[in-house]
């Protein structure tokens, strides 16, 4: 008990000290960081000075504006492939802070902040799209600092951070050394299959030095490892008929169910972590018709490439066995048999940031500057694309707290958001470098 009281007291004292400490915009970078011992190119020197301080302070003095814009953007529906209306709203916001804004063929909105040189580029991105289909009620309900709406965190928090950071740099008249592209990109979620980021990296690959992806709110982790995934659709077709008079002909839904039951009994290892999800199932036209089609969408993920291949072939085997079972038990095969195929909906490549990555060292310095701690994580994000090509990339949250991502109860609380935004700003400028005051 004493021990617990003791440590609780210590914690309290430390908390009080921390709470009373002014947030230093920039601290010197300690000499003995592990990243440096591991051989990082140079000790990252975060930019500092009155302009940086002004930019850092901008967030707290515009808290209400940031909250309001987040709510406004979230209320513009943006399912993957239907992002254009929300994209137009972001375009207006980025244009208002003096960026040269364009929209590429994919639908990405790109705001260019010209650096001293545009031979080298840094991208700060946030995805526009949500997993919620058209027609979903996306009205934001606000209660003090809490906002509730589908997509409010993922990626309302990231999108508004993109705009807020661009605006803070503008107000503080900061010019980067490397050119910065502020990008609101399309097609991150689900069947979007990272198409926006693929187009971006394709277009700028030669000059691209770093990609910082803003996704969600959490600042307690940083995604440095890209989780490989495959999304597939099983399609089974058959003759179809009347539930009573044609009873006994092979039924595609039966076959799909038989195959699915086999598949969900497949054992997957916990290391490398490997997962599957039967995410969407459809087929049939009415209760009293034998369907002529059944479809199933499956998401497969693994930390190991071999496991991913194994899992996909297990799915094929199970579906094939389900078809066989259904055909064998069919009483009437005269009207035709079942056909099936497996379509690839999306494939996200894996990849990893090197432990001695300069971008990671910069993020660590930014963490230290805002007194934040974050752990490394593996996830499936827009960063998969640059990471798979060996381009420096991370995905980070934009600050505040959130939860219930991809659910109708998704929520966000903006308390403490400034720390997240400062962390983004410092990491971005650490990656781009800055030049002196604009004339
Ligand atoms: Zn997201």
């Amino acid at each position: 008990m004493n021990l617990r009281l003791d440590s609780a007291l210590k914690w309290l004292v430390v908390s009080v000290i921390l709470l009373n400490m002014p947030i230093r915009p920039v601290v010197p970078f300690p000499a003995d960081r592990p990243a440096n011992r591991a051989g990082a190119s140079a000790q990252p020197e975060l930019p500092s000075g009155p302009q940086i301080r002004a930019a850092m302070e901008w967030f707290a003095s515009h808290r209400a504006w940031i909250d309001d814009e987040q709510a406004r953007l979230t209320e513009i529906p943006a399912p993957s492939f239907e992002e254009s209306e929300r994209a137009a709203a972001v375009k207006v916001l980025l244009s208002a802070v003096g960026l040269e804004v364009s929209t590429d063929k994919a639908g990405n909105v790109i705001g260019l902040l010209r650096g001293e040189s545009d031979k080298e580029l840094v991208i700060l991105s946030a995805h526009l799209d949500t997993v919620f289909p058209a027609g979903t009620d996306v009205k934001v309900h606000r209660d003090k600092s809490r906002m509730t709406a589908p997509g409010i965190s993922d990626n309302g928090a990231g999108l508004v951070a993109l705009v807020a950071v661009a605006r803070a740099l503008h107000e503080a008249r900061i010019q980067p050394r490397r050119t910065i592209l502020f990008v609101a990109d399309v097609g991150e979620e689900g069947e979007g299959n990272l198409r926006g980021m693929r187009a971006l990296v394709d277009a700028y690959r030669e000059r691209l030095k770093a990609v910082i992806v803003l996704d969600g709110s959490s600042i307690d982790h940083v995604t440095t490892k890209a989780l490989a995934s495959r999304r597939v659709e099983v399609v089974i077709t058959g003759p179809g008929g009347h539930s009573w008079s044609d009873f006994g002909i092979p039924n595609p839904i039966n076959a799909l169910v038989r195959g699915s039951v086999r598949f969900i009994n497949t054992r997957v290892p916990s290391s490398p972590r490997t997962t599957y999800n039967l995410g969407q199932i459809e087929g049939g036209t009415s209760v009293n018709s034998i369907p002529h089609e059944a479809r199933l969408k499956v998401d497969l993920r693994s930390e190991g490439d071999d496991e991913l291949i194994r899992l996909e072939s297990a799915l094929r085997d199970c579906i094939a066995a389900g078809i066989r079972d259904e055909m064998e038990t069919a009483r009437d095969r005269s009207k035709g048999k079942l056909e099936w195929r497996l379509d690839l909906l999306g494939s996200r490549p894996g990849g990893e940031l090197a432990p001695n990555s300069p971008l990671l060292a910069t993020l660590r310095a930014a963490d230290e500057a805002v007194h934040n701690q974050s752990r490394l994580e593996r996830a499936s994000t827009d960063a998969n694309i640059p990471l798979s090509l060996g381009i420096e990339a991370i995905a980070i949250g934009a600050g505040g707290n959130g939860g219930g991502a991809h659910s109708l109860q998704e929520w966000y609380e903006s308390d403490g958001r400034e720390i997240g935004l400062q962390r983004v700003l410092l990491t971005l400028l650490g990656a781009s470098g800055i030049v002196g005051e604009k004339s």
Side-chain angles (χ1 to χ4, degrees):
M1 185 216 160
N2 269 342
L3 193 75
R4 282 178 64 185
L5 188 63
D6 219 46
S7 57
L9 262 175
K10 260 190 208 152
W11 179 83
L12 191 68
V13 170
V14 170
S15 306
V16 168
I17 291 170
L18 281 178
L19 280 173
N20 287 307
M21 267 166 66
I23 289 178
R24 289 168 299 163
V26 170
V27 293
F29 196 68
D32 61 345
R33 293 196 64 82
N36 289 313
R37 282 202 301 269
S41 50
Q43 186 168 301
E45 190 71 52
L46 289 180
S48 59
Q51 282 177 295
I52 301 291
R53 265 198 302 282
M56 301 273 281
E57 281 159 14
W58 187 89
F59 301 122
S61 53
H62 291 78
R63 197 173 284 173
W65 183 84
I66 297 171
D67 285 359
D68 292 349
E69 288 305 312
Q70 180 178 357
R72 194 173 67 83
L73 291 173
T74 302
E75 287 181 345
I76 305 172
S80 305
F81 301 102
E82 294 169 56
E83 301 97 337
S84 60
E85 197 186 336
R86 187 179 284 184
V90 174
K91 193 169 184 177
V92 170
L93 290 168
L94 292 180
S95 303
V97 294
L99 302 182
E100 298 169 34
V101 189
S102 59
T103 305
D104 72 6
K105 272 196 215 128
N108 297 317
V109 175
I110 304 170
L112 185 138
L113 178 61
R114 216 170 272 286
E116 195 177 37
S117 146
D118 58 7
K119 289 206 180 72
E120 295 183 330
L121 303 175
V122 174
I123 286 179
L124 182 69
S125 76
H127 70 84
L128 284 160
D129 58 325
T130 71
V131 294
F132 304 101
T136 303
D137 180 4
V138 288
K139 174 110 190 69
V140 176
H141 298 274
R142 293 176 75 159
D143 180 17
K144 298 197 185 86
S145 70
R146 179 179 274 241
M147 298 192 267
T148 308
I152 189 71
S153 283
D154 181 13
N155 195 21
L159 272 179
V160 83
L162 179 81
V163 172
V165 169
R167 203 169 152 195
L169 294 188
H170 175 71
E171 305 277 338
R173 306 174 66 78
I174 290 170
Q175 195 198 354
R177 209 162 45 71
R178 289 172 168 160
T179 291
I180 298 176
L181 302 181
F182 291 89
V183 183
D185 64 306
V186 298
E188 191 270 345
E189 298 286 4
E191 291 169 43
N193 199 27
L194 313 181
R195 68 186 187 94
M197 184 55 78
R198 285 178 208 265
L200 266 182
V201 171
D202 211 40
Y204 298 104
R205 187 167 174 183
E206 313 286 86
R207 293 183 287 159
L208 197 49
K209 291 297 157 196
V211 180
I212 300 162
V213 171
L214 302 175
D215 204 336
S217 61
S218 168
I219 60 170
D220 65 4
H221 65 266
V222 45
T223 300
T224 56
K225 293 174 238 180
L227 177 61
S229 68
R230 306 264 297 170
R231 279 98 190 250
V232 298
E233 183 172 35
V234 176
V235 183
I236 303 176
T237 55
H242 191 278
S243 63
W244 170 258
S245 54
D246 293 316
F247 179 72
I249 68 169
N251 178 323
I253 290 184
N254 289 4
L256 188 66
V257 170
R258 291 178 194 272
S260 300
V261 169
R262 282 173 179 261
F263 179 65
I264 59 180
N265 285 316
T266 304
R267 287 237 183 91
V268 289
S270 49
S271 174
R273 184 171 154 81
T274 302
T275 66
Y276 58 81
N277 183 52
L278 275 52
Q280 214 179 342
I281 190 160
E282 56 189 16
T285 51
S286 74
V287 68
N288 53 349
S289 302
I290 296 168
H292 55 82
E293 190 177 83
R295 291 168 173 266
L296 167 68
K297 289 180 182 173
V298 189
D299 170 273
L300 310 167
R301 305 183 184 211
S302 181
E303 291 172 349
D305 289 344
D306 293 350
E307 283 302 330
L308 197 58
I309 293 166
R310 229 193 309 278
L311 192 59
E312 189 175 327
S313 76
L315 177 63
R316 283 176 192 278
D317 292 348
C318 290
I319 296 298
I323 302 275
R324 216 169 41 238
D325 292 349
E326 177 64 12
M327 285 303 293
E328 271 166 16
T329 51
R331 287 198 266 178
D332 176 2
R333 291 172 219 163
S334 64
K335 292 215 167 65
K337 57 184 178 103
L338 298 176
E339 306 280 355
W340 74 284
R341 62 176 199 271
L342 194 135
D343 295 337
L344 182 65
L345 300 175
S347 166
R348 300 176 172 214
E352 268 187 48
L353 195 61
N356 61 356
S357 141
L359 179 60
L360 183 58
T362 302
L363 175 91
R364 289 300 191 205
D367 264 344
E368 199 151 312
V370 301
H371 308 294
N372 184 53
Q373 285 194 332
S374 58
R375 60 178 195 282
L376 305 186
E377 254 190 20
R378 184 186 298 273
S380 172
T381 68
D382 266 337
N384 279 49
I385 300 301
L387 283 173
S388 74
L389 297 168
I391 298 167
E392 296 255 301
I394 52 173
I396 56 177
N401 284 297
H406 295 195
S407 82
L408 297 176
Q409 293 76 40
E410 188 170 343
W411 58 273
Y412 177 80
E413 277 173 8
S414 60
D415 299 320
R417 186 210 294 266
E418 295 76 26
I419 293 176
L421 295 176
Q422 291 173 343
R423 177 178 183 243
V424 174
L425 184 132
L426 287 175
T427 307
L428 176 65
L429 293 179
S432 69
I434 64 166
V435 292
E437 305 212 354
K438 276 188 200 166
S439 54

